[in-house]
Amino acid sequence: METNHLRCFVATFLGVAVSLYAADKPKPAPAATETDPYAEVQPASESLDLAMYQRIRDEGLNHSHVMEFGSALMDGIGPRLTGSPNAKKANEWTRNTLTKIGLENAHLEDWGEFGLGWQQLNTWARLVTPDTSVLIVQATPWSPATNGPVTGDLAFVSIQDDKDFDKYKGKLEGKIVLFGAMREVPPIDKTLFSRYTEKELDDLAEFTVNANAGGIPPDVQARLRERMERLRMIDKIAQFFADEKVAAVIEPSRGAPEGGGSGGVLFDDNGAP
């Protein structure tokens, strides 16, 4: 039997240390307050400016630009990963748009050092034996590039707890690791888009609070504990793969019922297809 091989390539990219939100100008020192506003006595009655309320409602209901702004961010700029060039574009677009609609002193302020910036330029993978097949993949944010095309044997790895590491130690060098639980990938036989029925919307609005700690249902508590344990293992698993010198790691997407892809589409850990 001929061994399956997989070829992976990720375009080289440059990661640079950035301060995500570069300030437009030095921030002035805050003015000293003579009194604590939280200690002031609240008025017994409040005078409501109903005309202003109506103006706000009219602006939102009859003059809204929310779809225009949403399209500019999502269609014109696209994903805005922290530290990426698109995040910088989105911040500058927001400042310029606020200025354009009449706000004064709209400017950017930094919030500290973030670390390495990251941007995906190109990612592709394909099966090369026993037959060729193109895979739809997305690089996980901040993953390193390969040094050109990489070809290697496949190795399925399932690490659920600490004792599983010993099964793979010394066996993964140069391998392309398929990491994660296997799942069914059924053919698409229904529409990819559907609207909730009135009953489904009513069901979503219902939330029964059980008589247990924090009012969180037991099944939700179990899932939270499982996720916390999994997060504990993430760094340890990543370091293990680095120490074993694997060529690449490919994780499956979530199933369609869990908000993932259909028909074999893979999603990265940020949900991008």
Side-chain angles (χ1 to χ4, degrees):
M1 180 181 293
E2 189 171 14
T3 306
N4 285 2
H5 289 72
L6 187 70
R7 171 167 289 182
C8 292
F9 174 75
V10 181
T12 304
F13 53 80
L14 178 64
V16 294
V18 297
S19 175
L20 179 59
Y21 301 125
D24 287 350
K25 57 185 179 181
K27 291 177 283 188
T33 55
E34 298 180 357
T35 59
D36 181 0
Y38 293 101
E40 293 183 357
V41 178
Q42 297 299 311
S45 60
E46 183 178 3
S47 177
L48 299 179
D49 187 342
L50 298 180
M52 181 57 69
Y53 273 90
Q54 184 57 39
R55 288 181 59 189
I56 293 173
R57 285 175 56 82
D58 178 66
E59 189 69 26
L61 295 173
N62 302 317
H63 308 285
S64 174
H65 295 277
V66 63
M67 298 305 294
E68 175 188 337
F69 294 161
S71 178
L73 286 169
M74 292 180 283
D75 303 327
I77 297 176
R80 304 178 297 282
L81 184 71
T82 303
S84 69
N86 275 5
K88 181 175 183 291
K89 289 180 184 177
N91 292 333
E92 292 173 346
W93 175 90
T94 303
R95 176 200 59 200
N96 296 341
T97 300
L98 291 175
T99 300
K100 181 179 178 180
I101 64 178
L103 274 71
E104 298 180 0
N105 194 31
H107 63 278
L108 304 180
E109 293 189 3
D110 59 25
W111 53 266
E113 297 293 330
F114 174 74
L116 291 176
W118 190 90
Q119 181 183 24
Q120 176 175 264
L121 300 180
N122 183 40
T123 303
W124 62 263
R126 63 190 176 103
L127 192 71
V128 295
T129 62
D131 197 1
T132 59
S133 180
V134 176
L135 304 180
I136 304 173
V137 295
Q138 168 86 18
T140 299
W142 289 287
S143 59
T146 60
N147 186 19
V150 172
T151 302
D153 293 336
L154 295 175
F156 173 69
V157 174
S158 178
I159 299 177
Q160 302 300 321
D161 51 44
D162 292 315
K163 69 177 183 297
D164 290 333
F165 287 103
D166 292 338
K167 294 189 296 184
Y168 305 103
K169 190 172 181 61
K171 302 177 181 178
L172 300 178
E173 184 172 354
K175 300 289 183 65
I176 294 175
V177 172
L178 299 179
F179 179 65
M182 300 294 289
R183 67 172 180 83
E184 294 293 329
V185 184
I188 301 173
D189 59 358
K190 297 180 181 179
T191 177
L192 295 177
F193 176 82
S194 62
R195 294 186 180 277
Y196 286 118
T197 64
E198 289 296 328
K199 182 181 183 307
E200 289 172 333
L201 291 173
D202 291 339
D203 291 342
L204 287 172
E206 295 293 331
F207 182 80
T208 302
V209 178
N210 294 343
N212 54 63
I216 303 176
D219 60 326
V220 176
Q221 292 188 44
R223 289 199 299 271
L224 289 174
R225 286 193 296 268
E226 180 181 349
R227 178 161 180 78
M228 293 303 295
E229 174 60 20
R230 195 63 183 164
L231 289 174
R232 183 188 71 83
M233 294 285 290
I234 291 296
D235 289 342
K236 192 171 184 179
I237 292 171
Q239 186 60 54
F240 176 73
F241 286 151
D243 293 341
E244 291 294 304
K245 297 181 174 60
V246 304
V249 178
I250 298 178
E251 297 185 65
S253 63
R254 301 179 302 275
E258 292 79 40
S262 298
V265 175
L266 301 181
F267 279 64
D268 70 6
D269 60 1
N270 274 13

